[in-house]
Amino acid sequence: MAFVAVHSRKIVVVALFLAIAGFYIREVSSLDLSHGGIITVTNDTRYFVLHPDSSKEVFDKEHYAKGNIMFTSGQRIEGDRLILTYMDQTQYTRNEDVEVLLQYPAEGRKGYYISFVLIYADVSTTDCDAYFVDGGIGQTYCKILIACNKTSNFGYQIYLYGY
């Protein structure tokens, strides 16, 4: 009988822990992100040509070996956490100009305040940039444009932190 009582108590403690953790820790989900996929563009179909009045806040950029670029904006703060992660990639048989527009949160979803954004890009060129075109750090929404010129491969991983 004592074994059943101890075992039942452990189950209750674990269930209580999971309930509390579920309350404080929100699941990281790519459902919170909306995107149109990676698209090839021309000078006439670039985002900034089609949306000339949009904002253009450039991310900080660091180049690494073999076409790796790290884009950052904002900074980690006490109490923030990973609220979204997503990745995508594609390859081309020749060099292409490409863009991807990412929106957080997705339509109909509630966003957290954004404190820091980190994007790893794997490209075959150095002519690549990331921009906030709407919203951004300190806000509950953002649109991020990643634009790359003359690349035969384009891959990225995005990490959004917030509170």
Side-chain angles (χ1 to χ4, degrees):
M1 188 64 141
F3 173 75
V4 172
V6 170
H7 188 61
S8 295
R9 181 182 167 130
K10 286 182 181 179
I11 290 173
V12 169
V13 169
V14 169
L16 183 61
F17 171 77
L18 292 174
I20 292 170
F23 178 75
Y24 286 107
I25 301 172
R26 184 167 178 261
E27 183 179 326
V28 176
S29 171
S30 62
L31 295 175
D32 292 330
L33 183 74
S34 128
H35 60 89
I38 300 168
I39 59 170
T40 58
V41 294
T42 65
N43 287 338
D44 295 329
T45 62
R46 293 180 187 276
Y47 182 86
F48 290 122
V49 170
L50 299 175
H51 303 91
D53 296 330
S54 64
S55 65
K56 192 176 185 178
E57 184 181 331
V58 181
F59 279 58
D60 294 329
K61 176 168 63 171
E62 291 184 42
H63 291 273
Y64 292 94
K66 298 185 181 181
N68 292 310
I69 302 173
M70 184 173 68
F71 299 102
T72 58
S73 185
Q75 62 185 5
R76 296 291 312 271
I77 60 172
E78 186 175 333
D80 72 356
R81 62 185 177 269
L82 183 64
I83 56 175
L84 179 125
T85 182
Y86 183 77
M87 66 179 291
D88 196 5
Q89 66 181 10
T90 193
Q91 293 183 339
Y92 301 96
T93 56
R94 60 188 175 132
N95 287 340
E96 298 281 355
D97 296 346
V98 298
E99 293 182 346
V100 62
L101 183 64
L102 309 165
Q103 177 182 319
Y104 169 81
E107 193 70 34
R109 309 231 354 147
K110 183 178 185 287
Y112 286 93
Y113 286 96
I114 302 164
S115 59
F116 179 68
V117 179
L118 171 65
I119 302 170
Y120 292 108
D122 180 20
V123 295
S124 60
T125 183
T126 58
D127 191 5
C128 189
D129 284 296
Y131 309 88
F132 280 120
V133 295
D134 195 10
I137 302 300
Q139 299 185 40
T140 58
Y141 69 97
C142 68
K143 285 186 180 177
I144 298 170
L145 177 71
I146 307 171
C148 193
N149 295 315
K150 307 291 184 241
T151 187
S152 60
N153 67 294
F154 180 75
Y156 67 91
Q157 299 172 16
I158 183 168
Y159 301 89
L160 264 74
Y161 292 84
Y163 55 95

